[in-house]
Amino acid sequence: LLVTEEISIIPPSGGIGAAFLELAQALARAGHAVDLLFVPAHHHALENAKSKIVYFADQGIRLITPEFEKYVHDGNDYSKKTYTIYRTIQDIGLRYDTIHFHDFKGLGFATQAAKRCGLDFQDTTIVVQLHGATAWTIDVNNTLFTHPDQLRLDFMERCSIEWADQLVSPSRYML
């Protein structure tokens, strides 16, 4: 299972979207069963995603979009998104060998917390792919934290990276 906020063929998207689309396609071509849980930052991207289900199915990839309103009120807060992701994975009802998240926005936080607490996912490898967490971006841009949400994101991203069973990085520098 790949969990991402971006997919390059569904705007807006950047490097995360390209990396996760190519990873999904490469795994499917290699014969792996691939589910792609798409949790976009923008709601209009969710509608765009529904038009791509056949595109992905033709490549052997099952595109899944969560139902935020099923679990939380106002799912735009990332602490609510990570909980929605956790509950969606539970509802899918499959025992995944691997669940792969990106670090940005800490989407794996609730799923990883459940594993860490022994509630679920004990036989699942959780991978976190580095792309640039909030604190790193703020530091590189020589700015400061300006909103309390950034502190929550920083906490969830740091925990997600720390709690990963495997960490993937595009460079030594990012590590």
Side-chain angles (χ1 to χ4, degrees):
L1 173 66
L2 306 177
V3 182
T4 183
E5 186 176 73
E6 298 179 12
I7 303 173
S8 61
I9 62 167
I10 304 170
S13 179
I16 291 171
F20 273 73
L21 176 62
E22 290 184 26
L23 178 59
Q25 291 169 329
L27 290 169
R29 280 192 306 272
H32 297 280
V34 178
D35 285 353
L36 183 58
L37 179 55
F38 181 50
V39 188
H42 305 285
H43 288 290
H44 68 275
L46 204 50
E47 292 307 313
N48 250 346
K50 293 176 182 173
S51 70
K52 305 290 186 197
I53 290 175
V54 172
Y55 168 84
F56 285 105
D58 287 346
Q59 297 180 60
I61 301 166
R62 180 169 67 148
L63 182 65
I64 303 165
T65 57
E67 298 175 51
F68 290 103
E69 62 283 351
K70 184 174 178 181
Y71 306 108
V72 297
H73 175 70
D74 185 24
N76 286 331
D77 177 282
Y78 279 92
S79 59
K80 293 178 182 181
K81 280 189 176 187
T82 188
Y83 178 73
T84 298
I85 291 165
Y86 164 60
R87 292 300 307 272
T88 299
I89 294 169
Q90 282 186 317
D91 285 354
I92 292 169
L94 296 175
R95 291 280 136 220
Y96 290 105
D97 295 329
T98 305
I99 302 174
H100 192 116
F101 296 96
H102 51 75
D103 62 340
F104 188 57
K105 305 285 179 76
L107 299 181
F109 178 78
T111 302
Q112 292 172 276
K115 179 174 182 171
R116 189 171 168 90
C117 292
L119 300 174
D120 209 343
F121 310 110
Q122 299 310 298
D123 297 323
T124 301
T125 300
I126 297 182
V127 177
V128 174
Q129 188 176 106
L130 300 178
H131 284 275
T134 300
W136 175 79
T137 305
I138 288 170
D139 184 54
V140 167
N141 290 318
N142 200 28
T143 59
L144 301 170
F145 285 93
T146 58
H147 194 278
D149 286 347
Q150 292 173 314
L151 295 173
R152 282 192 301 222
L153 283 175
D154 179 53
F155 176 76
M156 291 190 309
E157 290 167 344
R158 286 174 186 268
C159 288
S160 184
I161 291 166
E162 180 183 338
W163 298 343
D165 296 318
Q166 294 180 0
L167 201 56
V168 177
S169 177
S171 67
R172 279 192 181 276
Y173 165 77
M174 188 63 73
L175 284 174

